[in-house]
Amino acid sequence: MNDRKENTHGNIEAEMADKLYKNLKMGTDSIVNLMPKIAGKSENIKADMTVQLDGYEKLASKARKILIDNGKKPSEENIMTKMGAKMGIMMNTAMDATPSHIAQMMIEGSTMAITDTLKLKHEYERTQTPPSTCLSIADELVRFEQGNIEKMKKYL
């Protein structure tokens, strides 16, 4: 049972855009925190991660526009969630910052993003007025993450 109200289409669109935006910003933060941890001369994986970072920013920009168009301010995860993610990255790379381990972390993150995005998409598809623009962004994000997984596999 959904705990959100079936308000106007704009409110539903903004609500979904906000959730997408938060998830995308967590992805960008994770990559920014992870990049300096990569050991050795690993320019190829850094380049692929930079492309992924750019993709997250472009998708976040689309979600941000929907929020602004609906009179909402984009918000990010709270500081505790962000710090927890940063600490997780620090702990996960303390003993192993090889490209293989980083790729594994990236694949796990992309897999989690696909799962979260599909759950979000399916939740909003069932509303009376599905937010078509956000559903399109969600589809784009899933395809993007699938491509990211494929790129990271070569580093395993």
Side-chain angles (χ1 to χ4, degrees):
M1 181 65 98
N2 285 335
D3 59 351
R4 70 184 145 66
K5 292 181 180 179
E6 293 284 338
N7 291 341
T8 67
H9 176 72
N11 286 342
I12 292 171
E13 189 93 30
E15 185 179 286
M16 185 174 180
D18 185 58
K19 291 176 182 179
L20 286 167
Y21 183 80
K22 283 180 181 177
N23 290 345
L24 288 159
K25 291 308 281 182
M26 280 297 290
T28 61
D29 289 348
S30 295
I31 291 174
V32 167
N33 290 324
L34 195 52
M35 290 268 266
K37 307 289 183 195
I38 299 172
K41 295 184 185 273
S42 305
E43 295 308 313
N44 290 339
I45 194 169
K46 287 180 181 178
D48 283 339
M49 289 171 68
T50 301
V51 169
Q52 188 169 348
L53 180 63
D54 185 54
Y56 284 149
E57 286 295 337
K58 286 178 182 172
L59 290 167
S61 174
K62 289 180 181 185
R64 180 186 305 113
K65 182 180 181 332
I66 293 168
L67 288 166
I68 292 169
D69 288 350
N70 283 283
K72 308 287 184 193
K73 184 179 181 211
S75 62
E76 295 186 27
E77 288 292 346
N78 67 50
I79 192 72
M80 293 304 289
T81 302
K82 286 183 164 191
M83 289 303 294
K86 189 171 186 169
M87 292 299 294
I89 287 170
M90 287 174 51
M91 289 173 44
N92 221 326
T93 57
M95 298 299 276
D96 186 357
T98 61
S100 177
H101 185 68
I102 299 294
Q104 178 185 341
M105 291 173 65
M106 294 291 291
I107 289 168
E108 289 169 359
S110 289
T111 301
M112 197 164 59
I114 290 170
T115 302
D116 291 346
T117 302
L118 288 173
K119 285 168 60 177
L120 182 65
K121 180 183 175 215
H122 295 149
E123 175 186 346
Y124 282 89
E125 282 175 330
R126 293 187 284 269
T127 62
Q128 288 178 340
T129 52
S132 60
T133 305
C134 284
L135 292 174
S136 176
I137 293 170
D139 287 336
E140 189 176 348
L141 177 56
V142 168
R143 285 189 305 274
F144 178 69
E145 291 291 15
Q146 289 167 335
N148 293 332
I149 289 169
E150 289 306 311
K151 286 180 188 170
M152 287 294 133
K153 285 180 181 179
K154 67 185 172 199
Y155 301 105
L156 294 176

